[in-house]
Amino acid sequence: MINGMRIRSLAVLCAVVLSASGCGTGQAGGQEDRPAALEEGAMGRYVETFYELPEEINRNGGLNWLSDGTLTIISFGEGLYRSGDGGQTWEKEETAWFPMIQDVYCLAAVMGPDGTVAASCSGVMPKAAEEACTQELPEAWEGNYLVFGMPDGTVKTVAPGFTQEDGNCIESFIFKEDGRLFAGDMQGKVYEVNMEKESFRELFMAERSVGCMDFSGDTLMAVGHDRLYLYDLQEDMLLPQDGTVDAFIRQALTEGTVSYTGGGYPLTVSGSGEKDVIYLACRNGMYRHVLGGSAMEQVIDGALSTLGDSPAVIYRVKVLEEQEFLIACAPSVGLVRCKFDEGIPAMPDKELRIYSLRENRSVRQAMTDYKRTHTNLYIRYEVGLDGENGMTEEDALKRLNTQVLAGEGPDVLLLDGLPVDTWIGKGMLLDLRPVLEDLDGEDELFWNVVEGFAEADGAVYAMPVCIRVPLLVGDRDLVGGMEDLESIAEQAEQLRREYPEGGIFGIHDAETMLRLFGMVSSGAWVEDDGRMDEAAVTEFLELTKRIYDAEMAGAVPEQVERLEEEAEEMASYGTDPVQYRMEVCGNVLRIPQGYAAVAGGYVDGIQLCLDNVTSVLRMGDRLDYRILSGQVPDAFLPAAVVGIRSGTERQEEAEEFVRLMFSANTQENISEGFPVNRSAYEIHFQLYEENSGNGSMMLPMEDGTEQEIELYWPDQNERETFTEYVETLKTPVLSDDYLCGLVYESGVKVLEGERSAEEGAAEIVKKASIYLAE
């Protein structure tokens, strides 16, 4: 606890006073330029010390501080870990309660100051949990149950009354320092829990479920999607809202997400030893606020700390003495101790600028590793479309082009969605081959991917951090004949002649159909000089219309209606149904459901992605898959494509940053696709034992019944088959978002019969010419 700690000097402590300014999702630090509030030559900023967590720790309930000074973490898959040296080393402990949270989905698990444990699980109770249950439950009961483990070793399980049909359960717990336990459920109710009496006393109802909870004295604080709930535990009443904090939270949580299913929060709240002083942490840094006050003080800049990095999902923040914080982050980051150092400059004198059109997790992963060894460098990450600046995609691209042509652009660029061919043609990017050739040993890359980006002279101006692999799944004879977009159209028409009714791809939306085949064709639409190839665009529209017409000719109204209802439900939960249908992991389930004969789309990972494909293949002897090719042969989809601006004054630093992006250590944590680093690629497959169960799912069938599908981690043969496919990929399909958007916008009218393919292509090329000329 803090005794009389004060944070006063903004210049000295690198703090920025903000009026209801949130974390946002754009530039780390929340600003396009360096913080202007710093005085020239100001000294002092927070430095970080990292403590790694044991490698086996996976999803967990966050960090617990016990009254004896030890720290604990409850890993949902491994059990209890304890540290007696502030998180520097950890030891695993056997407990009586851990078997009761195994083989089910654990939502929350915390330990109180005296060692009492509370956990919430969902599923069928393990035998150990059944034996400790204090209630009589129906046979094969399934639902939400709680586990209470006492310091003396006694354990009991309690069913709070939520079942699977309720769609509700306890999803969060927190202990107060006096041992009182509080909980939140999925519907927004916050309770005080009496473990002895097994009772729940409702304190208040939030509009939605709450995220991080903590205490400021006798005030319970809970982060809502648009406000901070403040509940007076002495007076048993909800306190008036704090307008400054609420405005901050609304700006920080632009998507309304308060917690992550994998654990942790996008924003945490923490009490301190000072009366009414609280701290909020998010991507833009750490902020201090006096409840009822009008200012938010930024005490740690996210651009200068791990907080600004995507992998740094926050689990808990502890305010320590003498201007010091302990931050528990996702297992890949570990614990971070932040301590103020008066002897270093408040702002580094060098700056490395990084740009992406949209937020990119791979960049932030590399920033995490880079900043640990480059404390003298300020990393400015700019996002063209950050959701806050009101820019359109066209505006963002024009602005970036202007900067780069003037020699004032970023040093490192993520080229996804940008006109890469045009930039290469104008000499705006550096050759990366010397950097990539330095990578060997554990940092060796898939060289077929590297050579796919090589120009005629061998230069490599752009390189993806990871790749997505487009697949086509179905009857082996059927998909065996689908070698390119033309043969896909021929096979779809033949299938419709043989089967007048039923789904082919199970796609009845013109835009979705265009985007699915466009993602493996768009590379053919642009000529070497950067202009649109009208003949290639016309061919794409003609062939895709043939596939769409064959699909719609035998569409079953009941199936179309069910799929439309599913899409509407996805959209209501914030999932883009069109983007979802670009992934084969969902489309492949349409085959056993009876909605489709063929599934197309990309895989970008193993769990709940490639394993969906391989598990469905185990359901039928005739099912198989191959690479999905459109107008581009042997295609792969690059993600997080990196380049270095020619003329940068930070070439050495930029090359070092890019080299780090392809290192095994950084690529192990890539989640946007399969790593292009071979060692990291192998590690992704080794995360789970082959053939081990990966859960199951219930599929609603066409006839109204349900079928359970078991998911398995790919075995050795399945892994080798997929890797052989990866090694044959030769052609990257880069997409200029603006040009592709023109094709899809006009293409919808073509597929729906409002104009011919020739008319649509002519309109596209005309608009593209204006855009490229600018």
Side-chain angles (χ1 to χ4, degrees):
M1 299 296 291
I2 300 175
N3 296 312
M5 171 178 158
R6 295 291 184 270
I7 298 180
R8 291 196 179 109
S9 172
L10 302 189
V12 174
L13 293 187
C14 187
V16 180
V17 177
L18 304 174
S19 177
S21 176
C23 291
T25 57
Q27 297 82 14
Q31 308 171 65
E32 287 198 1
D33 300 307
R34 298 186 183 192
L38 296 177
E39 296 175 359
E40 188 70 26
M43 299 294 291
R45 71 173 184 267
Y46 281 89
V47 295
E48 299 178 327
T49 302
F50 293 87
Y51 302 141
E52 293 184 359
L53 298 178
E55 290 185 1
E56 62 270 25
I57 287 183
N58 51 19
R59 291 181 62 245
N60 64 83
L63 200 64
N64 308 291
W65 287 266
L66 274 61
S67 56
D68 63 3
T70 62
L71 308 178
T72 64
I73 289 178
I74 301 173
S75 170
F76 297 160
E78 298 294 331
L80 180 68
Y81 291 78
R82 189 184 300 270
S83 173
D85 55 11
Q88 298 181 57
T89 60
W90 296 85
E91 292 185 3
K92 186 177 180 180
E93 296 183 3
E94 296 298 322
T95 64
W97 48 262
F98 180 60
M100 302 182 190
I101 70 171
Q102 288 187 292
D103 301 319
V104 292
Y105 187 77
C106 189
L107 295 99
V110 297
M111 179 172 279
D114 65 350
T116 301
V117 169
S120 176
C121 303
S122 180
V124 178
M125 282 190 184
K127 184 176 181 180
E130 281 185 15
E131 294 174 350
C133 187
T134 62
Q135 301 152 271
E136 288 289 335
L137 297 174
E139 187 176 350
W141 177 91
E142 184 175 0
N144 179 215
Y145 69 91
L146 310 181
V147 177
F148 297 140
M150 305 306 171
D152 63 4
T154 60
V155 185
K156 64 178 177 179
T157 58
V158 176
F162 301 135
T163 65
Q164 297 288 81
E165 291 73 23
D166 294 329
N168 193 21
C169 58
I170 297 296
E171 64 174 356
S172 61
F173 280 122
I174 186 168
F175 278 100
K176 200 174 185 301
E177 290 183 351
D178 59 9
R180 297 164 69 184
L181 177 64
F182 298 84
D185 69 20
M186 296 182 69
Q187 294 182 353
K189 290 183 180 178
V190 176
Y191 311 86
E192 180 170 5
V193 182
N194 188 313
M195 289 180 287
E196 182 180 351
K197 296 182 179 180
E198 303 172 11
S199 63
F200 293 76
R201 183 171 69 91
E202 183 179 338
L203 303 183
F204 64 90
M205 178 77 174
E207 186 176 338
R208 304 181 195 172
S209 62
V210 298
C212 180
M213 294 190 290
D214 201 21
F215 305 92
S216 177
D218 286 316
T219 299
L220 170 65
M221 303 180 292
V223 176
H225 76 282
D226 65 351
R227 62 173 288 190
L228 181 66
Y229 291 90
L230 302 167
Y231 190 88
D232 190 320
L233 295 173
Q234 286 190 329
E235 300 296 331
D236 269 337
M237 61 180 292
L238 203 59
L239 296 174
Q241 293 181 228
D242 185 309
T244 301
V245 171
D246 292 351
F248 180 91
I249 289 175
R250 285 192 296 272
Q251 190 172 358
L253 304 181
T254 53
E255 297 179 357
T257 300
V258 294
S259 61
Y260 300 123
T261 55
Y265 311 97
L267 183 147
T268 62
V269 63
S270 307
S272 72
E274 293 183 271
K275 180 177 174 56
D276 295 331
V277 172
I278 66 172
Y279 289 85
L280 292 96
C282 58
R283 180 170 292 177
N284 272 15
M286 184 84 68
Y287 294 79
R288 179 182 186 269
H289 174 69
V290 179
L291 290 173
S294 60
M296 302 289 297
E297 298 177 21
Q298 187 189 57
V299 296
I300 299 178
D301 184 350
L304 298 173
S305 77
T306 301
L307 289 170
D309 305 333
S310 183
V313 173
I314 312 168
Y315 281 80
R316 187 66 63 184
V317 173
K318 180 71 171 177
V319 183
L320 305 176
E321 297 182 354
E322 298 179 357
Q323 303 169 14
E324 192 172 356
F325 304 92
L326 185 62
I327 306 172
C329 295
S332 62
V333 176
L335 300 186
V336 186
R337 186 176 290 267
C338 302
K339 189 169 185 178
F340 189 74
D341 186 339
E342 296 180 351
I344 61 175
M347 179 60 63
D349 58 356
K350 296 181 180 180
E351 177 179 272
L352 184 70
R353 293 177 60 192
I354 302 169
Y355 180 94
S356 65
L357 189 60
R358 293 178 175 83
E359 177 75 19
N360 188 279
R361 289 176 293 177
S362 298
V363 168
R364 292 197 180 275
Q365 175 64 55
M367 287 169 61
T368 299
D369 298 334
Y370 194 78
K371 286 192 291 190
R372 293 186 185 188
T373 55
H374 294 78
T375 57
N376 65 332
L377 194 69
Y378 181 83
I379 300 181
R380 173 149 60 106
Y381 179 31
E382 304 170 60
V383 179
L385 298 174
D386 63 3
E388 297 178 6
N389 56 23
M391 278 196 177
T392 64
E393 188 168 307
E394 186 175 4
D395 292 336
L397 290 172
K398 287 180 179 178
R399 179 181 181 182
L400 178 63
N401 277 327
T402 300
Q403 290 179 344
V404 172
L405 288 171
E408 301 172 351
D411 305 296
V412 178
L413 300 108
L414 266 291
L415 300 164
D416 302 59
L418 303 182
V420 180
D421 290 336
T422 301
W423 284 26
I424 292 174
K426 293 182 179 181
M428 298 161 70
L429 298 173
L430 285 177
D431 181 8
L432 300 179
R433 183 175 283 275
V435 175
L436 301 176
E437 288 180 342
D438 281 346
L439 298 168
D440 53 20
E442 69 170 13
D443 291 335
E444 181 185 357
L445 306 180
F446 280 99
W447 271 91
N448 58 303
V449 176
V450 178
E451 295 301 340
F453 277 83
E455 299 296 313
D457 62 357
V460 179
Y461 296 104
M463 179 66 191
V465 171
C466 51
I467 63 170
R468 297 166 178 170
V469 183
L471 300 180
L472 196 61
V473 187
D475 181 278
R476 63 170 54 90
D477 290 339
L478 179 59
V479 300
M482 293 181 167
E483 298 178 353
D484 53 23
L485 192 59
E486 184 173 5
S487 58
I488 290 174
E490 292 171 353
Q491 291 290 331
E493 291 169 337
Q494 177 62 32
L495 191 63
R496 179 55 71 220
R497 287 191 289 270
E498 296 177 4
Y499 300 95
E501 188 176 88
I504 298 176
F505 285 91
I507 295 175
H508 310 102
D509 171 68
E511 181 186 357
T512 303
M513 188 73 80
L514 287 160
R515 289 183 179 272
L516 177 64
F517 295 110
M519 72 181 183
V520 289
S521 299
S522 61
W525 302 342
V526 181
E527 300 185 71
D528 291 341
D529 61 2
R531 293 182 299 171
M532 292 287 281
D533 185 331
E534 187 168 348
V537 174
T538 301
E539 179 187 56
F540 171 75
L541 296 177
E542 289 175 341
L543 294 175
T544 307
K545 180 169 172 54
R546 286 172 58 186
I547 300 169
Y548 183 71
D549 287 347
E551 182 78 64
M552 299 306 293
V556 179
E558 292 79 11
Q559 292 183 356
V560 175
E561 183 179 356
R562 290 193 193 101
L563 293 175
E564 287 177 348
E565 290 173 353
E566 182 183 281
E568 291 174 0
E569 184 177 3
M570 284 185 191
S572 70
Y573 285 103
T575 298
D576 182 351
V578 175
Q579 181 58 42
Y580 177 78
R581 296 305 296 271
M582 299 302 101
E583 303 175 33
V584 76
C585 54
N587 293 339
V588 73
L589 301 176
R590 306 298 182 201
I591 297 176
Q593 283 182 291
Y595 291 113
V598 189
Y602 66 78
V603 288
D604 60 1
I606 304 172
Q607 190 171 28
L608 294 179
C609 199
L610 179 61
D611 65 345
N612 278 21
V613 174
T614 55
S615 296
V616 167
L617 260 56
R618 296 186 187 194
M619 300 174 68
D621 293 338
R622 293 198 53 78
L623 293 176
D624 202 355
Y625 73 90
R626 64 175 298 161
I627 296 297
L628 168 62
S629 294
Q631 289 175 289
V632 176
D634 303 317
F636 63 90
L637 310 179
V641 181
V642 65
I644 298 176
R645 178 177 62 85
S646 60
T648 173
E649 296 179 356
R650 295 275 178 242
Q651 182 173 337
E652 182 179 346
E653 291 87 350
E655 289 181 345
E656 188 174 356
F657 183 83
V658 169
R659 189 176 295 110
L660 183 68
M661 291 188 76
F662 294 102
S663 68
N665 287 338
T666 299
Q667 290 240 325
E668 283 180 22
N669 297 307
I670 292 297
S671 60
E672 295 174 289
F674 289 92
V676 297
N677 178 289
R678 283 185 172 271
S679 296
Y681 173 90
E682 294 295 332
I683 288 172
H684 277 223
F685 275 96
Q686 295 166 7
L687 289 175
Y688 294 86
E689 182 180 354
E690 66 175 70
N691 276 323
S692 62
N694 196 22
S696 64
M697 61 178 73
M698 298 299 296
L699 298 180
M701 307 302 287
E702 181 188 1
D703 60 6
T705 62
E706 289 188 337
Q707 179 178 349
E708 185 174 17
I709 174 174
E710 296 288 341
L711 298 178
Y712 299 94
W713 199 250
D715 62 24
Q716 183 68 22
N717 288 333
E718 290 166 337
R719 168 182 165 183
E720 289 177 356
T721 298
F722 182 74
T723 302
E724 287 173 3
Y725 275 125
V726 170
E727 291 174 334
T728 65
L729 301 175
K730 298 178 181 178
T731 314
V733 184
L734 289 165
S735 63
D736 180 319
D737 284 0
Y738 181 77
L739 296 180
C740 288
L742 294 178
V743 175
Y744 302 144
E745 180 183 6
S746 185
V748 168
K749 298 175 183 177
V750 173
L751 265 59
E752 293 180 348
E754 296 181 23
R755 64 184 56 172
S756 68
E758 291 80 4
E759 291 170 336
E763 178 187 56
I764 292 164
V765 171
K766 181 179 179 180
K767 290 182 178 179
S769 298
I770 297 172
Y771 161 72
L772 293 171
E774 295 176 345

